[in-house]
Amino acid sequence: MQTTRSPLALPFPQLPAIAGVTLRIARARYKDWDRCDLTFAELAQGSSVAGVFTQSACASSEVELGRSAVKQGRARALIVNAGNSNAFTGYRGREAVEQIMDQVAAHLGCAADEVFVSSTGVIGVPLPKDKARAGVEAALHAQPCGWEDAAHAIGTTDTFAKGAGASAMVGDVRVELAGIIKGSGMIAPDMATMLGYVFTDADVAPAFLQGALERANAATFSCITVDGDTSTSDTVLVFATGKAGNCRIEGWNSPGADAFAAALTDVCRNLAQAVVRDGEGAQKFITIRVSGAASDESARTIGLSIANSPLVKTAIAGEDANWGRVVMAVGKAGEPADRDKLSIAFGGIWTARDGLPVEGYDEAPVAAHLKGDGIDIAVDLGLGEGRATVWTCDLTHGYIAINADYRS
């Protein structure tokens, strides 16, 4: 298991309190560890919710029930456990989730579909109902806690707690946003990523909140990868309590709608990048910028092809400016590309232009750049106006060590 704090770790930020959100943590002990592993967020009546979920064909019951419930647009609670993903567990897993939803709903006096449940950890082990009931009961009556404690409780192989915040002016009212996320491995989002939650005191209609989240997701969570593997449990939820007192954001023409959406995207981007920084065994944070593609979506696909390539990732781990591996990853992406128009740069220094090595190219400054922990790769296809930025990390021996004994 991963125990050493990632060298790319960020300090946990100062996050604002969100009116209408109360956080609590407890110990369900789904795994043999001496730590809190359950986070409970109670939400004010009338809170809106939006969500994006994994497209995995083997999604967990938590994802299936959450995907259905989010369509109602309302929420009163979130409960998240670490140590057991409850995925690939059939009817027993679903019954455990429904038990949790009913238990929390009875405590709050709300409908069961206003309670959102997420689980993360080992796949294939049904969530023990007795531990679930006891853990939830403890969480319901625990003392309120802060964002960092809540973020720690949802982690698995994470080496640091991850959070992000932002604010926006909606009319003449300042609204706050705060988010937490867990994720370190099994990261190749096919909609969203790992388990991430954003809370805001803004008054936002569910339909707009859903659209704003989907837009933010496309440019953030869906542009990161650690190992190319999409989880069975990936979930990102946004909750809006409406306690800020702003005029309700109903659509893109509402006052402050653009500012709120920009703040949401900023929070999502920072959370997504924090996950990459905590990639299992990661030593280097890699930004890949693709331009000149046939379309933005084509650029994103090419960027992810580069980011998911074990050959590219191991070259970066070895601090080798092997741009030939980038050429390989572009060529295999299945997107329009022309060998004789392709250009590649490391750290802002072009190593190849228009399909040829740059004449007189000096590898020394590129080698110096690759010794750092922040790596920039630029690819220009010379075909069109499409562009995208994706983020990944290197692939090291540490990744193998962590995942070789994950269930122990």
Side-chain angles (χ1 to χ4, degrees):
M1 296 295 291
Q2 192 159 223
T3 57
T4 304
R5 185 176 172 87
S6 168
L8 306 174
L10 300 172
F12 196 84
Q14 287 290 117
L15 297 182
I18 301 297
V21 178
T22 303
L23 301 170
R24 296 180 171 89
I25 59 174
R27 300 186 182 192
R29 294 183 171 87
Y30 293 124
K31 197 167 183 176
D32 185 19
W33 50 24
D34 186 24
R35 48 159 280 198
C36 287
D37 53 9
L38 196 66
T39 291
F40 170 55
E42 181 178 345
L43 308 166
Q45 287 186 331
S47 294
S48 299
V49 64
V52 284
F53 303 86
T54 183
Q55 297 302 307
S56 169
C58 298
S60 67
S61 293
E62 286 86 339
V63 167
E64 292 176 341
L65 290 165
R67 187 184 289 132
S68 175
V70 81
K71 296 175 184 177
Q72 306 299 320
R74 61 181 186 272
R76 282 298 314 282
L78 166 71
I79 193 151
V80 187
N81 83 262
N84 184 325
S85 76
N86 198 38
F88 197 62
T89 53
Y91 73 90
R92 290 178 294 175
R94 187 179 182 92
E95 286 178 350
V97 182
E98 291 173 338
Q99 172 186 293
I100 292 171
M101 294 168 67
D102 289 340
Q103 185 178 355
V104 175
H107 176 78
L108 297 177
C110 67
D113 65 4
E114 292 180 280
V115 178
F116 288 81
V117 182
S118 296
S119 301
T120 180
V122 174
I123 293 172
V125 179
L127 204 65
K129 292 182 181 180
D130 55 344
K131 290 185 177 182
R133 186 175 298 280
V136 169
E137 187 66 17
L140 295 177
H141 296 95
Q143 291 296 311
C145 70
W147 294 110
E148 188 169 5
D149 287 338
H152 269 300
I154 66 176
T156 49
T157 58
D158 303 60
T159 70
F160 65 95
K162 306 170 184 66
S167 62
M169 294 302 297
V170 178
D172 58 355
V173 176
R174 178 187 173 103
V175 302
E176 302 287 352
L177 299 90
I180 58 174
I181 197 166
K182 68 82 52 183
S184 185
M186 201 179 290
I187 308 300
D190 192 11
M191 50 34 78
T193 180
M194 295 70 9
L195 302 181
Y197 311 99
V198 180
F199 304 83
T200 178
D201 56 7
D203 189 356
V204 188
F208 176 82
L209 194 62
Q210 183 67 37
L213 174 58
E214 289 175 0
R215 180 181 290 193
N217 165 65
T220 60
F221 297 121
S222 286
C223 291
I224 67 171
T225 181
V226 167
D227 47 23
D229 286 333
T230 296
S231 170
T232 57
S233 306
D234 290 346
T235 297
V236 171
L237 295 168
V238 181
F239 303 97
T241 67
K243 294 297 183 180
N246 61 285
C247 291
R248 188 175 177 85
I249 302 176
E250 296 281 358
W252 290 100
N253 292 326
S254 297
D258 288 340
F260 174 81
L264 177 60
T265 299
D266 187 54
V267 170
C268 291
R269 181 183 302 109
N270 287 330
L271 292 176
Q273 291 184 2
V275 169
V276 173
R277 288 182 171 277
D278 204 17
E280 291 171 343
Q283 299 290 313
K284 297 179 186 293
F285 178 83
I286 306 169
T287 300
I288 301 169
R289 296 180 174 88
V290 179
S291 60
S295 66
D296 289 349
E297 185 57 33
S298 179
R300 174 181 170 275
T301 299
I302 290 169
L304 288 173
S305 178
I306 298 167
N308 280 322
S309 166
L311 289 176
V312 172
K313 290 158 73 72
T314 50
I316 298 301
E319 301 175 353
D320 178 14
N322 192 335
W323 53 266
R325 293 184 177 182
V326 178
V327 174
M328 172 278 301
V330 172
K332 73 169 186 175
E335 294 294 324
D338 185 332
R339 177 199 62 199
D340 297 331
K341 294 182 179 180
L342 184 62
S343 301
I344 299 167
F346 292 88
I349 300 169
W350 294 99
T351 60
R353 280 282 201 183
D354 299 323
L356 292 171
V358 171
E359 189 173 352
Y361 156 61
D362 180 4
E363 191 169 328
V366 174
H369 174 71
L370 291 176
K371 289 186 179 300
D373 59 16
I375 309 301
D376 291 296
I377 301 175
V379 174
D380 188 90
L381 285 94
L383 298 177
E385 300 299 320
R387 61 182 58 244
T389 301
V390 304
W391 301 276
T392 190
C393 57
D394 56 342
L395 182 59
T396 70
H397 294 289
Y399 181 88
I400 299 171
I402 292 162
N403 285 283
D405 67 351
Y406 180 72
R407 293 199 302 164
S408 63

Coordinates of all heavy atoms in Angstrom, one line a residue, residues 1-6 157-159 402:
M1 N 0.8 -1.2 0.0 CA 0.0 0.0 0.0 C 0.9 1.2 0.0 O 2.0 1.2 0.5 CB -0.9 0.0 1.2 CG -1.9 -1.1 1.3 SD -3.1 -1.0 -0.1 CE -4.0 0.4 0.4
Q2 N 0.3 2.3 -0.5 CA 1.1 3.6 -0.6 C 1.1 4.2 0.8 O 0.0 4.5 1.4 CB 0.4 4.5 -1.6 CG 1.2 5.7 -1.9 CD 0.9 6.4 -3.3 OE1 1.7 6.7 -4.0 NE2 -0.4 6.5 -3.6
T3 N 2.3 4.5 1.3 CA 2.3 5.1 2.7 C 3.1 6.4 2.7 O 2.9 7.2 3.6 CB 3.0 4.1 3.6 OG1 4.3 3.8 3.1 CG2 2.2 2.8 3.8
T4 N 4.0 6.6 1.8 CA 4.8 7.8 1.7 C 4.1 8.9 1.0 O 3.6 8.7 -0.1 CB 6.2 7.5 1.0 OG1 6.8 6.4 1.7 CG2 7.1 8.7 1.1
R5 N 4.1 10.1 1.6 CA 3.4 11.2 0.9 C 4.1 11.5 -0.4 O 5.3 11.6 -0.6 CB 3.6 12.5 1.8 CG 2.8 13.7 1.3 CD 3.0 14.8 2.4 NE 2.4 16.1 2.0 CZ 1.2 16.5 2.1 NH1 0.3 15.6 2.6 NH2 0.8 17.7 1.7
S6 N 3.2 11.7 -1.4 CA 3.7 12.0 -2.8 C 4.6 13.2 -2.8 O 4.3 14.2 -2.2 CB 2.5 12.2 -3.7 OG 3.0 12.8 -5.0
T157 N -5.6 4.7 -1.3 CA -4.2 4.7 -1.5 C -3.7 6.2 -1.6 O -2.5 6.4 -1.8 CB -3.7 4.0 -2.7 OG1 -4.3 4.5 -3.9 CG2 -4.0 2.5 -2.6
D158 N -4.6 7.1 -1.4 CA -4.2 8.6 -1.4 C -3.1 8.8 -0.3 O -3.2 8.3 0.8 CB -5.4 9.4 -1.1 CG -6.6 9.2 -2.1 OD1 -7.1 8.1 -2.2 OD2 -7.0 10.2 -2.7
T159 N -2.2 9.7 -0.7 CA -1.1 10.0 0.3 C -1.3 11.4 0.9 O -0.6 11.8 1.8 CB 0.3 10.0 -0.4 OG1 0.4 11.1 -1.3 CG2 0.5 8.6 -1.1
I402 N 2.7 -0.7 -5.3 CA 1.4 -0.4 -4.6 C 0.3 -1.3 -5.0 O -0.5 -1.8 -4.2 CB 1.0 1.1 -5.0 CG1 2.0 2.1 -4.3 CG2 -0.4 1.4 -4.5 CD1 1.9 3.4 -4.9

